Amino acid sequence: MEIHTDFLVLGSGIAGLSFAIRAAELGTVAMVTKKEKTDSNTNLAQGGIAAVQDQTDRVEYHISDTLTCGAGLSNEEVVRFVVTEGPERIRELIQWGVEFTRSDEDPGRFDLGREGGHSMRRVLHAKDLTGREIERALHEKAGQNTNIRIFENHIAIDLIMKSAALGRKIEQDRCLGAYVLDIDGREVHTFRAKFVMLSTGGAGKVYLITTNPDIATADGVAMAYRAGAKIANMEFIQFHPTCLYHPDAKSFLISEAVRGEGGILKLKSGDTFMEKYHPMKSLAPRDVVAKAIDTELKKSGDDFVLLDITHHKRDFLISRFPNIYEKCLEFGVDMAKDPVPVVPAAHYLCGGVRVNGFGETSISGLFACGEVSCTGLHGANRLASNSLLEAVVYAHRSFMRVTELLTAIQDDLVPIPPWDPRGATESDESVVVSHNWDEIRRCMWNYVGIVRSDKRLERAQRRIDMINREIEEYYRNFIVTRDLLELRNIAVAAKLIVVCARMRKESRGLHYNLDYPEKNDRGWLKDTIVSREELWR
């Protein structure tokens, strides 16, 4: 089946929904999401969205905090317009029905949180379920628009390029849509669109331990790379410092807002340690905290450190962190009297599909927004709660850009060939998928984690390259399934992370290499940019 739409949005988080709601003013929107429409990293975001709201705060302070956290790689122009446009986008979210937590003392003001790396309180939140509240409001608004059609339990296989449809190279290639698998119906449909928005989220499932949901398999980055788009800064993987340590917790995130409210990191002995690593101690930026915890765990041989917020009263903790408090209680930890055992976990991808200030990729007709994209805002390390802000600002700017382009574009009448399974058969060796999935994630965790070295990265690349070849052969021979497509995508993302990490001969932000422990501004004050033409084998 060929489905025609003006806008094809891949992903249903804050970035995709914000863009879809706006784009529906211009035409029809098809939104493709792998699982239920609310399954996204946005839905799990606890801390909030950072924007200047208080009279004591200034745009310049937020800009300075972002640039400092980005370790020299943030694009100052991008930082400035994202931070400056942020308050207006917040007002828009409120108009769309998002209910942020208000101050108990003054209901006319927001209860602003503070997180690591921020010099002021500027994080709007909805208790500790901010992402869920934003998703609720945006889905409600999108559901009221007849121009938006959501395809749940569908997964994009690959982008459709004009050159591929014509069967030859052309001077100006363009994205025409995507081949999409209906997971339940087990059929592949052709989605044709004037513009395609990638908003597929991050790549946490590339790693063994992650705060991300199961859907975070780097689909957008992998598809864009295969289509020929430029990919940047994949070496910068943010490890959240405080993930609940418990065998049954499945990597439950303990929000940075807990440290923002005075939570103190301690060793199992009860001794503090962050004063040795940063003047902001437990409120240091995430890269510093994650590396400090990793260092202390390697020295002590312990499995976890402790996050102690027991100096607050139980009523405050239940009111400020109802979800976290309840979840910890499920696992036998009472935050009011027990320090919380925590360990770092892969959390956020600061690199991704390279875009300009309006979300345009290097491929005509293809946009990217949210965690899948590399805008220049985060640089070498994301400032806490800047990601949701980036998503809403770029969704709006992408909408402004397609508004300009739509009047000039004409429907491309190039016929798109239907999906060709090329004689593929049903697989009777699904163990291959599960084995390779596990091997990739363990390889990345052991060799391309918080602390790296040339030897570890070289070893990782040999393994990941071999696994990629195995997966591509398997992909060509067997009928596609969701599991196979996700495996194929994390293998590509793993390759890109390793390649970018090997390129950067220094330590900066989230990338720390034992063989190059210092920053090298002369040689590496720049992005690492790769594309299929450079790496394809």
Side-chain angles (χ1 to χ4, degrees):
M1 181 168 62
E2 185 164 302
I3 298 166
H4 290 249
T5 184
D6 293 312
F7 303 95
L8 173 59
V9 179
L10 303 178
S12 60
I14 186 174
L17 282 167
S18 299
F19 177 78
I21 289 168
R22 292 182 173 90
E25 300 173 18
L26 305 175
T28 56
V29 180
M31 177 173 279
V32 168
T33 183
K34 288 199 293 188
K35 293 180 72 175
E36 303 301 319
K37 59 189 178 184
T38 54
D39 283 326
S40 68
N41 270 352
T42 300
N43 202 43
L44 297 181
Q46 296 174 346
I49 182 168
V52 174
Q53 297 289 310
D54 192 84
Q55 291 182 349
T56 62
D57 199 2
R58 298 285 186 274
V59 165
E60 293 301 325
Y61 299 165
H62 192 176
I63 290 171
S64 176
D65 291 345
T66 303
L67 292 173
T68 299
C69 195
L73 280 193
S74 295
N75 182 318
E76 187 168 353
E77 180 186 352
V78 171
V79 173
R80 185 166 295 279
F81 72 64
V82 169
V83 170
T84 302
E85 295 175 22
E88 179 59 31
R89 303 282 74 80
I90 295 294
R91 285 191 286 273
E92 195 166 53
L93 286 176
I94 294 167
Q95 290 170 3
W96 289 356
V98 177
E99 296 182 5
F100 293 111
T101 300
R102 300 276 177 171
S103 167
D104 290 335
E105 291 78 24
D106 181 3
R109 300 175 63 186
F110 294 110
D111 178 50
L112 299 176
R114 183 183 175 193
E115 299 185 8
H118 287 277
S119 58
M120 306 290 289
R121 286 185 171 269
R122 63 169 69 98
V123 181
L124 294 101
H125 62 93
K127 298 293 185 181
D128 59 349
L129 291 169
T130 310
R132 185 180 300 179
E133 169 59 17
I134 292 174
E135 284 274 290
R136 178 203 62 78
L138 296 190
H139 272 295
E140 191 172 299
K141 186 167 181 65
Q144 296 167 356
N145 196 312
T146 56
N147 264 359
I148 299 175
R149 185 180 176 190
I150 300 179
F151 293 82
E152 294 180 290
N153 298 306
H154 283 63
I155 179 173
I157 302 171
D158 266 321
L159 299 172
I160 300 170
M161 300 301 295
K162 186 174 181 178
S163 58
L166 292 171
R168 57 181 171 83
K169 286 188 176 182
I170 57 176
E171 188 171 332
Q172 286 193 327
D173 213 346
R174 181 177 181 82
C175 183
L176 302 180
Y179 291 116
V180 175
L181 172 67
D182 175 352
I183 297 168
D184 295 333
R186 303 185 69 187
E187 293 181 328
V188 177
H189 304 306
T190 302
F191 281 70
R192 186 178 194 127
K194 296 175 182 175
F195 297 99
V196 176
M197 170 60 79
L198 290 175
S199 52
T200 51
K205 296 301 284 188
V206 171
Y207 285 88
L208 184 65
I209 302 174
T210 177
T211 63
N212 288 189
D214 290 342
I215 60 170
T217 51
D219 303 329
V221 171
M223 285 189 293
Y225 168 74
R226 288 193 293 264
K230 293 186 183 300
I231 312 295
N233 292 354
M234 291 292 288
E235 70 271 33
F236 297 120
I237 304 292
Q238 187 174 73
F239 286 77
H240 197 288
T242 54
C243 177
L244 177 62
Y245 180 83
H246 192 282
D248 299 323
K250 200 177 180 182
S251 305
F252 179 76
L253 173 66
I254 304 297
S255 171
E256 192 155 320
V258 175
R259 286 186 287 126
E261 296 295 348
I264 300 170
L265 288 163
K266 298 179 179 180
L267 301 175
K268 288 172 73 174
S269 64
D271 296 330
T272 61
F273 60 91
M274 279 307 302
E275 63 273 11
K276 296 187 294 185
Y277 296 94
H278 198 275
M280 292 181 77
K281 301 179 183 177
S282 290
L283 261 177
R286 289 180 180 179
D287 61 325
V288 176
V289 179
K291 191 165 64 176
I293 294 174
D294 184 73
T295 300
E296 293 294 329
L297 292 180
K298 282 183 170 61
K299 282 198 297 185
S300 67
D302 292 335
D303 295 324
F304 58 86
V305 296
L306 299 168
L307 180 58
D308 189 349
I309 196 166
T310 56
H311 54 277
H312 276 299
K313 293 181 178 178
R314 180 176 278 103
D315 288 348
F316 170 81
L317 295 174
I318 293 173
S319 172
R320 179 65 179 88
F321 305 112
N323 182 50
I324 296 174
Y325 186 89
E326 187 64 32
K327 183 62 72 170
C328 286
L329 213 55
E330 284 181 29
F331 297 106
V333 178
D334 183 346
M335 292 173 67
K337 61 179 185 179
D338 305 318
V340 182
V342 294
V343 67
H347 182 59
Y348 191 88
L349 174 64
C350 287
V353 184
R354 197 166 192 244
V355 298
N356 64 12
F358 294 93
E360 293 176 288
T361 72
S362 56
I363 294 175
S364 178
L366 180 65
F367 287 71
C369 184
E371 191 173 353
V372 69
S373 67
C374 182
T375 66
L377 175 69
H378 306 309
N381 183 26
R382 175 180 70 104
L383 180 65
S385 291
N386 264 0
S387 50
L388 296 183
L389 180 72
E390 176 192 51
V392 292
V393 169
Y394 264 84
H396 176 75
R397 291 176 73 87
S398 295
F399 165 70
M400 298 299 291
R401 181 61 176 149
V402 297
T403 302
E404 296 173 0
L405 297 173
L406 196 59
T407 54
I409 192 173
Q410 296 180 347
D411 284 332
D412 202 316
L413 300 179
V414 173
I416 298 175
W419 174 255
D420 181 8
R422 298 179 297 275
T425 60
E426 291 277 1
S427 170
D428 58 357
E429 297 179 321
S430 58
V431 67
V432 174
V433 174
S434 59
H435 175 79
N436 280 334
W437 180 284
D438 186 62
E439 187 171 357
I440 290 169
R441 298 180 70 207
R442 290 184 183 278
C443 177
M444 294 298 289
W445 184 257
N446 291 330
Y447 300 141
V448 201
I450 297 171
V451 176
R452 301 158 181 178
S453 70
D454 282 354
K455 186 174 290 185
R456 293 177 195 174
L457 293 173
E458 182 183 352
R459 187 174 293 127
Q461 182 156 5
R462 284 200 303 269
R463 293 297 305 135
I464 297 299
D465 281 347
M466 187 185 77
I467 293 171
N468 265 284
R469 289 192 290 270
E470 287 181 6
I471 292 169
E472 278 304 310
E473 181 181 357
Y474 191 91
Y475 171 78
R476 287 193 298 270
N477 291 332
F478 297 109
I479 292 172
V480 294
T481 64
R482 173 183 166 166
D483 287 347
L484 174 55
L485 295 175
E486 290 182 329
L487 172 66
R488 184 182 183 224
N489 290 335
I490 71 161
V492 170
K495 178 186 177 75
L496 293 172
I497 293 167
V498 173
V499 167
C500 287
R502 293 192 73 188
M503 289 171 64
R504 186 168 291 279
K505 305 296 186 183
E506 65 160 357
S507 290
R508 181 186 299 272
L510 301 168
H511 172 72
Y512 184 77
N513 188 324
L514 291 168
D515 295 305
Y516 308 95
E518 304 297 328
K519 278 198 297 186
N520 176 6
D521 284 350
R522 176 174 293 183
W524 283 102
L525 196 61
K526 60 185 178 181
D527 296 331
T528 48
I529 301 170
V530 294
S531 67
R532 182 190 61 185
E533 284 70 25
E534 298 164 357
L535 300 179
W536 195 262
R537 289 190 177 94

